[in-house]
């Protein structure tokens, strides 16, 4: 009886599979022993003043952990394609993050990707949750692929920036509309354009329009972006631009309404494979365009003064990979400079309100097979004037953060991290 049931189940699975061109179960399990450390320095407002007695000049924190996703992101997924005939195909992709280091995160959601598509000679129309158009260049043109302690300063700053602004509505993650966006409608160019490729993406904010709320509906959660590139032989180059709307809390002094805030991202990346070495490069700029609202009084009458401001985060990355037998050496240098709007620059000669974060990373991957690899990565971050903007207080990962003492000001100064791990793909 049991054998008959097993046979019937096998026939049922075969029947489902035969109705589609392909159905694939895939995934990655990646684990590493990782170390993270940070250092913050005491900041005295007046550089000529004597530091307070008994207060340490610097604070250090460190953490050792068994981490995941140091080389590739741990995940499990299902994807399939059905041939509809006439050059048309329907496909789906459901991909979930997993935390194999502690086993707590399994297939509870498909937050990495959940899309359904229709493709043909016209290209592809893709609906659902996916990478944003502007994130692709940050990961494709990073030798470390935005994984592990080697992830670039550009990636880490952008994650902080998106997280500080908070997630989109309906329970999205803090970095949503940077790495990924939900509720997206996307179009991809067909692959037969002589090496040219591209996409356009529009993510719905899904907020409710209310007559009783000023400027309703809030556009918070909306993303609009596009990417266009050319890949042929050893060359790959692409440019992307996107606007992530982060409209915030009601305007001061008003019972309702929304404060305008947009993250406008442009990046340009390229790689060229010379054979003995593959070079990577990227330039990036994020403009944080927002309204500063102040309650003022004129002739005894209160009013709201709204001033449009724009802070800038300018990033650059240079990197390389060098194949060595069954292995690969990886290295990168990245830097992000923060420049506040001119209206926010302090009126003193020793601090112009700017900040800078620089990162150097080096690593080695040893491939035991096509699916299994050992890896080691080391990364170092240096920060200048981190007290001017907490977003620039990037780390190499983990959760040590930067030390501080109540009543004192400490600025992020440096961070170090390492990964020693194994990755298996299936």
């Amino acid at each position: 009886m049991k054998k008959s049931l097993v046979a019937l189940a096998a026939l049922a699975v075969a029947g489902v599979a035969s109705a589609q061109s392909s159905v694939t179960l895939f995934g990655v399990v990646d684990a590493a022993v990782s170390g993270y450390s940070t250092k913050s320095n005491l900041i005295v407002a007046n550089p000529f003043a004597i530091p307070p007695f008994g207060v340490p000049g610097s604070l250090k924190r460190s953490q050792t952990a068994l981490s995941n996703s140091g080389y590739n992101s741990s995940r499990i997924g299902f994807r399939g394609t059905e041939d509809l005939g006439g050059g048309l195909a329907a496909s789906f992709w459901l991909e979930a993050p997993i935390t194999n280091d502690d086993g707590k995160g399994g297939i509870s959601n498909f937050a990495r990707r959940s899309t359904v598509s229709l493709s043909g000679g016209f290209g592809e129309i893709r609906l659902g949750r996916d990478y944003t158009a502007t994130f692709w260049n940050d990961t494709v043109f990073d030798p470390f692929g935005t994984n592990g302690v080697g992830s670039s300063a550009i990636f880490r700053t952008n994650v902080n920036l998106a997280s500080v602004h908070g997630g989109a509505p309906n329970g999205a993650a803090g970095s949503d509309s940077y790495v990924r966006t939900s509720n997206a409608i996307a179009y991809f160019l067909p692959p037969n354009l002589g090496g040219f490729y591209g996409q356009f993406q529009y993510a719905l904010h899904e907020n409710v329009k209310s007559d009783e709320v000023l400027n309703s509906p809030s556009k918070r959660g909306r993303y609009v972006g596009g990417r266009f590139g050319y890949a042929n032989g050893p060359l790959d180059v692409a440019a992307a631009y996107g606007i992530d709307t982060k409209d915030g809390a009601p305007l001061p002094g008003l019972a309702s309404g929304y404060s305008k805030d947009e993250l406008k991202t442009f990046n340009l990346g390229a790689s060229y494979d010379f054979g003995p070495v593959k070079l990577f490069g990227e330039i990036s700029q994020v403009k944080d365009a927002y309204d500063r609202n102040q309650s003022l009084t004129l002739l005894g009458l209160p009013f709201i003064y709204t001033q449009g401001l724009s802070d800038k985060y300018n990033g650059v990355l240079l990197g390389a990979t060098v194949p060595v037998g069954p292995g690969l050496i990886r290295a990168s240098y990245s830097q992000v400079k923060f420049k506040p709007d001119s209206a926010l620059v302090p009126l003193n000669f020793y601090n112009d309100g700017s900040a800078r974060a620089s990162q150097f990373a080096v690593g080695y991957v040893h491939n035991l097979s096509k699916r299994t690899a050992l890896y080691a990565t080391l990364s170092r971050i240096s920060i200048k004037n981190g007290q001017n903007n907490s977003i620039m207080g990037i780390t190499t990962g983990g959760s040590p953060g930067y030390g501080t003492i109540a009543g004192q000001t400490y600025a992020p100064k440096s961070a170090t991290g390492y990964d020693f791990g194994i990755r298996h793909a299936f």
Side-chain angles (χ1 to χ4, degrees):
M1 180 64 180
K2 290 183 178 179
K3 291 183 178 180
S4 298
L5 290 174
V6 172
L8 287 172
L11 287 172
V13 172
V16 172
S18 66
Q20 301 196 15
S21 299
S22 66
V23 177
T24 302
L25 168 67
F26 65 95
V28 171
V29 182
D30 183 314
V33 175
S34 301
Y36 316 100
S37 63
T38 64
K39 178 182 178 182
S40 53
N41 286 351
L42 177 68
I43 298 297
V44 180
N46 184 347
F48 303 105
I50 299 175
F53 178 76
V55 177
S58 64
L59 298 173
K60 296 181 180 180
R61 291 183 177 183
S62 63
Q63 177 189 26
T64 302
L66 183 67
S67 64
N68 66 75
S69 307
Y71 178 37
N72 292 142
S73 299
S74 292
R75 74 197 83 163
I76 187 168
F78 311 86
R79 59 175 179 259
T81 302
E82 180 183 11
D83 187 351
L84 301 175
L88 289 177
S91 60
F92 73 92
W93 190 304
L94 301 173
E95 186 174 319
I98 59 175
T99 56
N100 49 277
D101 52 326
D102 58 17
K104 293 180 180 179
I107 310 180
S108 58
N109 60 65
F110 293 107
R112 285 187 56 82
R113 178 173 169 181
S114 54
T115 61
V116 62
S117 303
L118 181 67
S119 59
F122 59 87
E124 178 187 354
I125 298 175
R126 185 183 299 176
L127 307 178
R129 178 173 173 80
D130 201 358
Y131 280 149
T132 64
T134 41
F135 172 71
W136 275 111
N137 286 348
D138 287 350
T139 190
V140 169
F141 300 114
D142 179 354
F144 294 90
T146 59
N147 279 101
V149 298
S151 299
S152 75
I154 294 174
F155 168 75
R156 297 189 183 284
T157 303
N158 287 345
V159 167
N160 278 0
L161 183 58
S163 299
V164 165
H165 281 268
N170 55 53
S175 60
D176 262 25
S177 294
Y178 166 55
V179 176
R180 297 176 178 86
T181 190
S182 299
N183 315 310
I185 303 168
Y187 168 73
F188 292 79
L189 293 174
N192 57 349
L193 299 179
F196 291 100
Y197 60 89
Q199 69 175 104
F200 173 78
Q201 189 176 44
Y202 181 87
L204 302 170
H205 58 72
E206 296 191 346
N207 297 317
V208 176
K209 178 177 175 58
S210 303
D211 289 344
E212 68 275 16
V213 178
L214 184 67
N215 298 327
S216 176
S218 167
K219 304 302 188 297
R220 183 178 178 84
R222 182 182 65 183
Y223 174 86
V224 183
R227 180 173 183 251
F228 186 75
Y230 176 77
N232 189 7
L235 174 66
D236 188 3
V237 58
Y241 180 77
I243 301 176
D244 174 16
T245 302
K246 296 290 189 183
D247 288 359
L251 303 176
L254 298 179
S256 63
Y258 297 97
S259 177
K260 298 299 182 183
D261 191 354
E262 292 180 331
L263 299 181
K264 301 178 179 180
T265 301
F266 170 80
N267 52 46
L268 173 66
S271 65
Y272 195 93
D273 192 346
F274 291 93
V277 61
K278 183 176 182 179
L279 301 180
F280 299 81
E282 183 190 7
I283 57 173
S284 169
Q285 183 182 83
V286 180
K287 290 183 179 181
D288 184 3
Y290 58 96
D291 289 345
R292 181 173 67 171
N293 305 295
Q294 297 175 285
S295 298
L296 302 177
T297 301
L298 180 63
L299 301 178
L301 299 176
F303 69 98
I304 301 296
Y305 172 65
T306 300
Q307 182 181 21
L309 302 175
S310 180
D311 298 336
K312 295 179 181 179
Y313 298 80
N314 298 316
V316 61
L317 178 147
L318 295 173
T321 58
V322 180
V324 181
L328 186 72
I329 297 173
R330 305 186 293 171
S332 72
Y333 173 80
S334 56
Q335 183 182 96
V336 174
K337 292 182 179 180
F338 164 71
K339 183 178 180 181
D341 189 281
S342 57
L344 302 177
V345 175
L347 297 177
N348 59 58
F349 66 90
Y350 52 84
N351 187 349
D352 62 1
S354 66
R356 183 181 67 204
S358 305
Q359 180 178 23
F360 177 74
V362 63
Y364 175 71
V365 179
H366 187 80
N367 295 300
L368 300 176
S369 69
K370 290 184 177 179
R371 298 187 298 161
T372 304
L374 302 176
Y375 62 89
T377 307
L378 178 64
S379 177
R380 173 74 173 180
I381 294 172
S382 298
I383 302 172
K384 182 179 180 181
N385 293 330
Q387 74 276 12
N388 289 334
N389 187 344
S390 62
I391 290 170
M392 299 299 292
I394 61 176
T395 71
T396 55
S399 54
Y402 285 95
T404 186
I405 294 177
Q408 305 296 331
T409 300
Y410 283 83
K413 183 62 178 179
S414 63
T416 304
Y418 65 81
D419 292 323
F420 294 98
I422 180 171
R423 184 276 336 253
H424 179 73
F426 61 90

PDB file of all heavy atoms in Angstrom, residues 10-24 79-85 88-92:
ATOM      1  N   ALA A  10       4.801  10.159  -7.001  1.00  0.00           N
ATOM      2  CA  ALA A  10       5.815  10.404  -8.016  1.00  0.00           C
ATOM      3  C   ALA A  10       5.188  10.754  -9.343  1.00  0.00           C
ATOM      4  O   ALA A  10       5.645  11.651 -10.061  1.00  0.00           O
ATOM      5  CB  ALA A  10       6.708   9.172  -8.161  1.00  0.00           C
ATOM      6  N   LEU A  11       4.089  10.039  -9.719  1.00  0.00           N
ATOM      7  CA  LEU A  11       3.393  10.339 -10.975  1.00  0.00           C
ATOM      8  C   LEU A  11       2.784  11.737 -10.940  1.00  0.00           C
ATOM      9  O   LEU A  11       2.787  12.466 -11.928  1.00  0.00           O
ATOM     10  CB  LEU A  11       2.298   9.292 -11.229  1.00  0.00           C
ATOM     11  CG  LEU A  11       2.791   7.904 -11.653  1.00  0.00           C
ATOM     12  CD1 LEU A  11       1.620   6.923 -11.688  1.00  0.00           C
ATOM     13  CD2 LEU A  11       3.464   7.959 -13.023  1.00  0.00           C
ATOM     14  N   ALA A  12       2.257  12.118  -9.757  1.00  0.00           N
ATOM     15  CA  ALA A  12       1.664  13.449  -9.639  1.00  0.00           C
ATOM     16  C   ALA A  12       2.705  14.532  -9.827  1.00  0.00           C
ATOM     17  O   ALA A  12       2.487  15.523 -10.523  1.00  0.00           O
ATOM     18  CB  ALA A  12       0.983  13.593  -8.273  1.00  0.00           C
ATOM     19  N   VAL A  13       3.879  14.352  -9.192  1.00  0.00           N
ATOM     20  CA  VAL A  13       4.964  15.321  -9.345  1.00  0.00           C
ATOM     21  C   VAL A  13       5.426  15.386 -10.783  1.00  0.00           C
ATOM     22  O   VAL A  13       5.666  16.456 -11.349  1.00  0.00           O
ATOM     23  CB  VAL A  13       6.141  14.953  -8.411  1.00  0.00           C
ATOM     24  CG1 VAL A  13       7.340  15.833  -8.715  1.00  0.00           C
ATOM     25  CG2 VAL A  13       5.726  15.100  -6.958  1.00  0.00           C
ATOM     26  N   ALA A  14       5.549  14.217 -11.426  1.00  0.00           N
ATOM     27  CA  ALA A  14       5.975  14.188 -12.823  1.00  0.00           C
ATOM     28  C   ALA A  14       4.976  14.897 -13.707  1.00  0.00           C
ATOM     29  O   ALA A  14       5.335  15.599 -14.664  1.00  0.00           O
ATOM     30  CB  ALA A  14       6.156  12.733 -13.277  1.00  0.00           C
ATOM     31  N   GLY A  15       3.662  14.738 -13.387  1.00  0.00           N
ATOM     32  CA  GLY A  15       2.641  15.417 -14.184  1.00  0.00           C
ATOM     33  C   GLY A  15       2.739  16.915 -14.065  1.00  0.00           C
ATOM     34  O   GLY A  15       2.611  17.646 -15.051  1.00  0.00           O
ATOM     35  N   VAL A  16       3.004  17.406 -12.836  1.00  0.00           N
ATOM     36  CA  VAL A  16       3.150  18.851 -12.635  1.00  0.00           C
ATOM     37  C   VAL A  16       4.365  19.360 -13.385  1.00  0.00           C
ATOM     38  O   VAL A  16       4.342  20.393 -14.044  1.00  0.00           O
ATOM     39  CB  VAL A  16       3.260  19.162 -11.125  1.00  0.00           C
ATOM     40  CG1 VAL A  16       3.613  20.621 -10.923  1.00  0.00           C
ATOM     41  CG2 VAL A  16       1.949  18.830 -10.426  1.00  0.00           C
ATOM     42  N   ALA A  17       5.484  18.619 -13.294  1.00  0.00           N
ATOM     43  CA  ALA A  17       6.715  19.054 -13.932  1.00  0.00           C
ATOM     44  C   ALA A  17       6.592  19.074 -15.442  1.00  0.00           C
ATOM     45  O   ALA A  17       7.128  19.948 -16.112  1.00  0.00           O
ATOM     46  CB  ALA A  17       7.865  18.138 -13.507  1.00  0.00           C
ATOM     47  N   SER A  18       5.845  18.116 -15.995  1.00  0.00           N
ATOM     48  CA  SER A  18       5.731  18.046 -17.449  1.00  0.00           C
ATOM     49  C   SER A  18       4.922  19.190 -18.014  1.00  0.00           C
ATOM     50  O   SER A  18       4.990  19.491 -19.200  1.00  0.00           O
ATOM     51  CB  SER A  18       5.105  16.706 -17.850  1.00  0.00           C
ATOM     52  OG  SER A  18       3.757  16.630 -17.384  1.00  0.00           O
ATOM     53  N   ALA A  19       4.123  19.829 -17.165  1.00  0.00           N
ATOM     54  CA  ALA A  19       3.306  20.951 -17.642  1.00  0.00           C
ATOM     55  C   ALA A  19       4.126  22.212 -17.791  1.00  0.00           C
ATOM     56  O   ALA A  19       3.645  23.204 -18.297  1.00  0.00           O
ATOM     57  CB  ALA A  19       2.156  21.193 -16.665  1.00  0.00           C
ATOM     58  N   GLN A  20       5.374  22.193 -17.332  1.00  0.00           N
ATOM     59  CA  GLN A  20       6.236  23.345 -17.438  1.00  0.00           C
ATOM     60  C   GLN A  20       7.547  22.959 -18.094  1.00  0.00           C
ATOM     61  O   GLN A  20       7.948  21.795 -18.097  1.00  0.00           O
ATOM     62  CB  GLN A  20       6.504  23.920 -16.048  1.00  0.00           C
ATOM     63  CG  GLN A  20       5.226  24.351 -15.327  1.00  0.00           C
ATOM     64  CD  GLN A  20       5.513  25.255 -14.154  1.00  0.00           C
ATOM     65  OE1 GLN A  20       6.607  25.787 -14.040  1.00  0.00           O
ATOM     66  NE2 GLN A  20       4.530  25.458 -13.306  1.00  0.00           N
ATOM     67  N   SER A  21       8.206  23.947 -18.686  1.00  0.00           N
ATOM     68  CA  SER A  21       9.491  23.686 -19.318  1.00  0.00           C
ATOM     69  C   SER A  21      10.543  23.325 -18.285  1.00  0.00           C
ATOM     70  O   SER A  21      11.403  22.491 -18.524  1.00  0.00           O
ATOM     71  CB  SER A  21       9.952  24.906 -20.124  1.00  0.00           C
ATOM     72  OG  SER A  21       9.020  25.198 -21.141  1.00  0.00           O
ATOM     73  N   SER A  22      10.499  23.969 -17.119  1.00  0.00           N
ATOM     74  CA  SER A  22      11.476  23.683 -16.080  1.00  0.00           C
ATOM     75  C   SER A  22      10.999  24.194 -14.736  1.00  0.00           C
ATOM     76  O   SER A  22      10.338  25.223 -14.654  1.00  0.00           O
ATOM     77  CB  SER A  22      12.825  24.324 -16.414  1.00  0.00           C
ATOM     78  OG  SER A  22      12.723  25.738 -16.385  1.00  0.00           O
ATOM     79  N   VAL A  23      11.305  23.437 -13.689  1.00  0.00           N
ATOM     80  CA  VAL A  23      11.096  23.857 -12.312  1.00  0.00           C
ATOM     81  C   VAL A  23      12.354  23.494 -11.545  1.00  0.00           C
ATOM     82  O   VAL A  23      12.820  22.359 -11.611  1.00  0.00           O
ATOM     83  CB  VAL A  23       9.880  23.169 -11.671  1.00  0.00           C
ATOM     84  CG1 VAL A  23       9.755  23.589 -10.205  1.00  0.00           C
ATOM     85  CG2 VAL A  23       8.612  23.501 -12.417  1.00  0.00           C
ATOM     86  N   THR A  24      12.934  24.459 -10.825  1.00  0.00           N
ATOM     87  CA  THR A  24      14.223  24.238 -10.176  1.00  0.00           C
ATOM     88  C   THR A  24      14.163  24.644  -8.703  1.00  0.00           C
ATOM     89  O   THR A  24      13.657  25.707  -8.365  1.00  0.00           O
ATOM     90  CB  THR A  24      15.326  25.060 -10.875  1.00  0.00           C
ATOM     91  OG1 THR A  24      15.383  24.702 -12.252  1.00  0.00           O
ATOM     92  CG2 THR A  24      16.684  24.794 -10.232  1.00  0.00           C
ATOM     93  N   ARG A  79      12.237  28.331  -8.821  1.00  0.00           N
ATOM     94  CA  ARG A  79      11.977  29.088 -10.045  1.00  0.00           C
ATOM     95  C   ARG A  79      11.514  28.127 -11.132  1.00  0.00           C
ATOM     96  O   ARG A  79      11.892  26.951 -11.152  1.00  0.00           O
ATOM     97  CB  ARG A  79      13.215  29.855 -10.491  1.00  0.00           C
ATOM     98  CG  ARG A  79      14.444  29.002 -10.781  1.00  0.00           C
ATOM     99  CD  ARG A  79      15.594  29.854 -11.332  1.00  0.00           C
ATOM    100  NE  ARG A  79      16.771  29.046 -11.598  1.00  0.00           N
ATOM    101  CZ  ARG A  79      17.846  28.963 -10.813  1.00  0.00           C
ATOM    102  NH1 ARG A  79      17.881  29.675  -9.690  1.00  0.00           N
ATOM    103  NH2 ARG A  79      18.873  28.197 -11.138  1.00  0.00           N
ATOM    104  N   GLY A  80      10.700  28.641 -12.019  1.00  0.00           N
ATOM    105  CA  GLY A  80      10.172  27.799 -13.084  1.00  0.00           C
ATOM    106  C   GLY A  80       9.787  28.599 -14.304  1.00  0.00           C
ATOM    107  O   GLY A  80       9.539  29.807 -14.219  1.00  0.00           O
ATOM    108  N   THR A  81       9.744  27.927 -15.431  1.00  0.00           N
ATOM    109  CA  THR A  81       9.397  28.558 -16.698  1.00  0.00           C
ATOM    110  C   THR A  81       8.461  27.643 -17.476  1.00  0.00           C
ATOM    111  O   THR A  81       8.666  26.421 -17.534  1.00  0.00           O
ATOM    112  CB  THR A  81      10.652  28.828 -17.551  1.00  0.00           C
ATOM    113  OG1 THR A  81      11.551  29.662 -16.828  1.00  0.00           O
ATOM    114  CG2 THR A  81      10.288  29.504 -18.869  1.00  0.00           C
ATOM    115  N   GLU A  82       7.442  28.221 -18.070  1.00  0.00           N
ATOM    116  CA  GLU A  82       6.527  27.473 -18.935  1.00  0.00           C
ATOM    117  C   GLU A  82       6.587  28.048 -20.347  1.00  0.00           C
ATOM    118  O   GLU A  82       6.439  29.265 -20.532  1.00  0.00           O
ATOM    119  CB  GLU A  82       5.093  27.553 -18.413  1.00  0.00           C
ATOM    120  CG  GLU A  82       4.113  26.782 -19.293  1.00  0.00           C
ATOM    121  CD  GLU A  82       2.677  26.921 -18.835  1.00  0.00           C
ATOM    122  OE1 GLU A  82       2.402  27.777 -17.971  1.00  0.00           O
ATOM    123  OE2 GLU A  82       1.829  26.178 -19.361  1.00  0.00           O
ATOM    124  N   ASP A  83       6.824  27.200 -21.307  1.00  0.00           N
ATOM    125  CA  ASP A  83       6.850  27.597 -22.713  1.00  0.00           C
ATOM    126  C   ASP A  83       5.414  27.712 -23.212  1.00  0.00           C
ATOM    127  O   ASP A  83       4.678  26.724 -23.286  1.00  0.00           O
ATOM    128  CB  ASP A  83       7.626  26.560 -23.524  1.00  0.00           C
ATOM    129  CG  ASP A  83       7.837  26.995 -24.968  1.00  0.00           C
ATOM    130  OD1 ASP A  83       7.233  28.008 -25.375  1.00  0.00           O
ATOM    131  OD2 ASP A  83       8.604  26.326 -25.678  1.00  0.00           O
ATOM    132  N   LEU A  84       5.002  28.926 -23.562  1.00  0.00           N
ATOM    133  CA  LEU A  84       3.629  29.162 -24.011  1.00  0.00           C
ATOM    134  C   LEU A  84       3.473  29.051 -25.517  1.00  0.00           C
ATOM    135  O   LEU A  84       2.354  29.152 -26.043  1.00  0.00           O
ATOM    136  CB  LEU A  84       3.177  30.560 -23.565  1.00  0.00           C
ATOM    137  CG  LEU A  84       3.201  30.812 -22.051  1.00  0.00           C
ATOM    138  CD1 LEU A  84       2.843  32.262 -21.747  1.00  0.00           C
ATOM    139  CD2 LEU A  84       2.258  29.864 -21.330  1.00  0.00           C
ATOM    140  N   GLY A  85       4.599  28.854 -26.214  1.00  0.00           N
ATOM    141  CA  GLY A  85       4.550  28.772 -27.665  1.00  0.00           C
ATOM    142  C   GLY A  85       4.601  30.155 -28.300  1.00  0.00           C
ATOM    143  O   GLY A  85       4.317  31.174 -27.665  1.00  0.00           O
ATOM    144  N   LEU A  88       6.669  32.987 -26.573  1.00  0.00           N
ATOM    145  CA  LEU A  88       6.280  33.500 -25.264  1.00  0.00           C
ATOM    146  C   LEU A  88       6.609  32.493 -24.166  1.00  0.00           C
ATOM    147  O   LEU A  88       6.572  31.284 -24.385  1.00  0.00           O
ATOM    148  CB  LEU A  88       4.783  33.801 -25.225  1.00  0.00           C
ATOM    149  CG  LEU A  88       4.283  35.002 -26.036  1.00  0.00           C
ATOM    150  CD1 LEU A  88       2.768  35.100 -25.925  1.00  0.00           C
ATOM    151  CD2 LEU A  88       4.939  36.291 -25.558  1.00  0.00           C
ATOM    152  N   ALA A  89       6.917  33.017 -22.982  1.00  0.00           N
ATOM    153  CA  ALA A  89       7.179  32.169 -21.828  1.00  0.00           C
ATOM    154  C   ALA A  89       6.688  32.868 -20.571  1.00  0.00           C
ATOM    155  O   ALA A  89       6.791  34.096 -20.445  1.00  0.00           O
ATOM    156  CB  ALA A  89       8.663  31.851 -21.705  1.00  0.00           C
ATOM    157  N   ALA A  90       6.131  32.086 -19.652  1.00  0.00           N
ATOM    158  CA  ALA A  90       5.745  32.585 -18.340  1.00  0.00           C
ATOM    159  C   ALA A  90       6.703  31.993 -17.319  1.00  0.00           C
ATOM    160  O   ALA A  90       7.122  30.838 -17.448  1.00  0.00           O
ATOM    161  CB  ALA A  90       4.309  32.194 -18.010  1.00  0.00           C
ATOM    162  N   SER A  91       7.070  32.765 -16.327  1.00  0.00           N
ATOM    163  CA  SER A  91       8.021  32.265 -15.337  1.00  0.00           C
ATOM    164  C   SER A  91       7.724  32.855 -13.964  1.00  0.00           C
ATOM    165  O   SER A  91       7.047  33.878 -13.844  1.00  0.00           O
ATOM    166  CB  SER A  91       9.463  32.601 -15.751  1.00  0.00           C
ATOM    167  OG  SER A  91       9.640  34.000 -15.869  1.00  0.00           O
ATOM    168  N   PHE A  92       8.229  32.179 -12.945  1.00  0.00           N
ATOM    169  CA  PHE A  92       8.116  32.675 -11.585  1.00  0.00           C
ATOM    170  C   PHE A  92       9.449  32.488 -10.887  1.00  0.00           C
ATOM    171  O   PHE A  92      10.287  31.670 -11.289  1.00  0.00           O
ATOM    172  CB  PHE A  92       7.013  31.938 -10.810  1.00  0.00           C
ATOM    173  CG  PHE A  92       7.383  30.523 -10.430  1.00  0.00           C
ATOM    174  CD1 PHE A  92       7.978  30.248  -9.204  1.00  0.00           C
ATOM    175  CD2 PHE A  92       7.140  29.474 -11.304  1.00  0.00           C
ATOM    176  CE1 PHE A  92       8.322  28.950  -8.854  1.00  0.00           C
ATOM    177  CE2 PHE A  92       7.485  28.167 -10.960  1.00  0.00           C
ATOM    178  CZ  PHE A  92       8.081  27.906  -9.734  1.00  0.00           C
TER     179      PHE A  92
END
